[in-house]
C-alpha cells in the first residue's frame, strides 16, 4: 500500500465479520502427513470443509525461527522443503497459494506490542503447507506466515498473540503449527506403526497440557519449565511448543474448546490439536 487512502480502503475491506473465526493449534508431526491419507490429514480436510471459509490464513509455524518478528509479504510465497531423507514425492509438492502483501502490512501496522518486519524471502515451510494443502487443496486462499522470535520469552509470544485477536474478527484463520509433546531424540522408530504407543511421561504431559488448556491456566502454560521433569522431556526445545502459546493468546472467554487428533506417535510425539471457537 503506497499511501494512507489505500491503507484505509484495505482496512474497510477487512471490516469485522458477523462471526469470529476459530483459531487452531495443529500438531503437524511428520512432513509425510502432507501427502499421506491418514487420520490426521483426513481431519484437516474435514476442518477445511466445516469452518467458515477464511479471507486469508496466517500460520505461526515451529519451523520459522528468527531474530525479531517477521511476516511474509510477497505476492506468491514459495513452497519450502525444509527437511531431508524423505521420498522424492514429498519434495515434488508445490503449494501455490497466493500471499497477501496488503494484509501483511495491515497486520504489521496494527501491532503495537513489538515491531513486525515485512519479509520477502521466506515462503511456506512444511509446518504450514503440509497442513493447509489438505484444508484448502485448491490453493485459492492467501496464506501468510508469522515468524517466531526465538530470542524472546514464552510470555512475549503469548502477549503478542493477544494483539492478533482482531484478525479473527476480520475473517483471518490463524493457526499455530507445532506439537505439544515433541522430543525427536527419544522417538521409538520401531514403534511408529504401533497405534498410540507413548512413553508414560509423554502421555502424562499431553494430559497435563489438555487440562491446563481447559482450565485456562495461561500462567502454567507460559511457565511450562516449572511443570517438572516430564515437561522437560516433552519440550527439550520450545520451538514446537511456542505455537500453542500463540493459540492460547488468541482465545477469548466466549470460545468453546475442542480437541482433535489426540494421539501419541512413536512414543515421544503427540499430534494433539485444539480448536477455540467454531
Amino acid at each position: 500500500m503506497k499511501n494512507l487512502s489505500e491503507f484505509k480502503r484495505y482496512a474497510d475491506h477487512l471490516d469485522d465479520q458477523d462471526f469470529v473465526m476459530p483459531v487452531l493449534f495443529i500438531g503437524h508431526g511428520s512432513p509425510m502427513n502432507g501427502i499421506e491419507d491418514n487420520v490426521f490429514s483426513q481431519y484437516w480436510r474435514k476442518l477445511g470443509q466445516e469452518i467458515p471459509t477464511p479471507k486469508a490464513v496466517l500460520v505461526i509455524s515451529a519451523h520459522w525461527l528468527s531474530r525479531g518478528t517477521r511476516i511474509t509479504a510477497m505476492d506468491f510465497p514459495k513452497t519450502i522443503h525444509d527437511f531431508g531423507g524423505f521420498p522424492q514425492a514429498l519434495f515434488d509438492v508445490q503449494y501455490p497459494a497466493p500471499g497477501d502483501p496488503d494484509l501483511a502490512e495491515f497486520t504489521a501496522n496494527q501491532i503495537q506490542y513489538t515491531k513486525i518486519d515485512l519479509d520477502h524471502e521466506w515462503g511456506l515451510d512444511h509446518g504450514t503447507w503440509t497442513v493447509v494443502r489438505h484444508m484448502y487443496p485448491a490453493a485459492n486462499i492467501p496464506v501468510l506466515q508469522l515468524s517466531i522470535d526465538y530470542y524472546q520469552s514464552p510470555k512475549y509470544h503469548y502477549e503478542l498473540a493477544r494483539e492478533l485477536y482482531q484478525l479473527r474478527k476480520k475473517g483471518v484463520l490463524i493457526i499455530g503449527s507445532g506439537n505439544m509433546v515433541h522430543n525427536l531424540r527419544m522417538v521409538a522408530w520401531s514403534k511408529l506403526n504401533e497405534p498410540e504407543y507413548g512413553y508414560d511421561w509423554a502421555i502424562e504431559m499431553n494430559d497435563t497440557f489438555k487440562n491446563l488448556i481447559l482450565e485456562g491456566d495461561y500462567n502454567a502454560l507460559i511457565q511450562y519449565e516449572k511443570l517438572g521433569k516430564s515437561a522437560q522431556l516433552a519440550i527439550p526445545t520450545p520451538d514446537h511448543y511456542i505455537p500453542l502459546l500463540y493459540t492460547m493468546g488468541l482465545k477469548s472467554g466466549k470460545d468453546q474448546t475442542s480437541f482433535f487428533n489426540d494421539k501419541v506417535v512413536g512414543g515421544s510425539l503427540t499430534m494433539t490439536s485444539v480448536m477455540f471457537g467454531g
Side-chain angles (χ1 to χ4, degrees), residues 65-68 148-153 157 236-240 242:
L65 309 178
S66 61
R67 184 181 292 277
I148 293 173
D149 185 342
Y150 206 57
Y151 299 88
Q152 297 290 347
S153 68
H157 299 290
T237 58
D239 44 299
H240 277 70
I242 288 172

Side-chain angles (χ1 to χ4, degrees), residues 154-156 158-159 162 209 212-213 215-227 241 245 248-249:
K155 185 174 177 58
Y156 167 93
Y158 174 80
E159 295 294 343
R162 295 179 67 184
F209 290 143
L212 292 173
I213 289 168
E215 294 165 3
D217 194 340
Y218 308 112
N219 287 330
L221 289 164
I222 290 169
Q223 301 177 62
Y224 66 90
E225 294 172 322
K226 297 182 179 180
L227 295 175
Y241 180 78
L245 298 181
M248 294 302 299

Side-chain angles (χ1 to χ4, degrees), residues 31-185:
M32 289 300 292
N33 291 323
I35 59 174
E36 290 181 346
D37 181 19
N38 56 36
V39 294
F40 308 124
S41 62
Q42 288 166 13
Y43 202 95
W44 298 339
R45 285 197 295 273
K46 180 172 178 284
L47 278 175
Q49 296 165 3
E50 292 183 350
I51 65 177
T53 301
K55 289 184 177 179
V57 179
L58 175 64
V59 182
I60 300 95
S61 165
H63 296 280
W64 189 14
L65 309 178
S66 61
R67 184 181 292 277
T69 302
R70 309 182 67 81
I71 190 169
T72 54
M74 65 286 287
D75 290 314
F76 294 98
K78 62 187 176 184
T79 303
I80 302 173
H81 301 89
D82 49 335
F83 42 71
F86 289 94
Q88 185 60 42
L90 193 60
F91 291 91
D92 291 341
V93 172
Q94 295 293 317
Y95 186 65
D100 189 335
D102 288 343
L103 177 59
E105 186 175 349
F106 176 84
T107 302
N109 284 325
Q110 293 299 299
I111 299 302
Q112 303 299 313
Y113 185 71
T114 190
K115 182 177 184 291
I116 306 292
D117 292 318
L118 302 181
D119 183 275
H120 298 90
E121 302 296 330
W122 188 249
L124 306 180
D125 60 51
H126 83 267
T128 295
W129 64 260
T130 60
V131 173
V132 179
R133 74 183 299 259
H134 288 292
M135 296 180 69
Y136 305 111
N140 58 348
I141 296 174
V143 181
L144 297 81
Q145 282 197 216
L146 184 76
S147 75
I148 293 173
D149 185 342
Y150 206 57
Y151 299 88
Q152 297 290 347
S153 68
K155 185 174 177 58
Y156 167 93
H157 299 290
Y158 174 80
E159 295 294 343
L160 171 56
R162 295 179 67 184
E163 285 202 358
L164 293 171
Y165 178 82
Q166 60 190 310
L167 295 179
R168 292 184 59 191
K169 298 189 293 183
K170 299 182 182 298
V172 179
L173 174 64
I174 305 178
I175 300 174
S177 179
N179 292 96
M180 290 189 196
V181 176
H182 185 268
N183 191 325
L184 289 182
R185 291 187 177 182

Side-chain angles (χ1 to χ4, degrees), residues 21-23 168 213 247-248 251 255-257 274-278:
M21 287 296 293
V23 59
R168 292 184 59 191
I213 289 168
T247 306
M248 294 302 299
K251 181 181 182 296
D255 284 329
Q256 294 185 341
T257 301
V274 61
M275 178 168 66
F276 298 130

Side-chain angles (χ1 to χ4, degrees), residues 1-15 55 102-103 106 170:
M1 287 175 283
K2 297 179 180 179
N3 54 49
L4 183 60
S5 63
E6 288 185 1
F7 184 85
K8 289 180 177 178
R9 281 198 296 272
Y10 187 77
D12 290 341
H13 164 71
L14 287 177
D15 277 346
K55 289 184 177 179
D102 288 343
L103 177 59
F106 176 84
K170 299 182 182 298

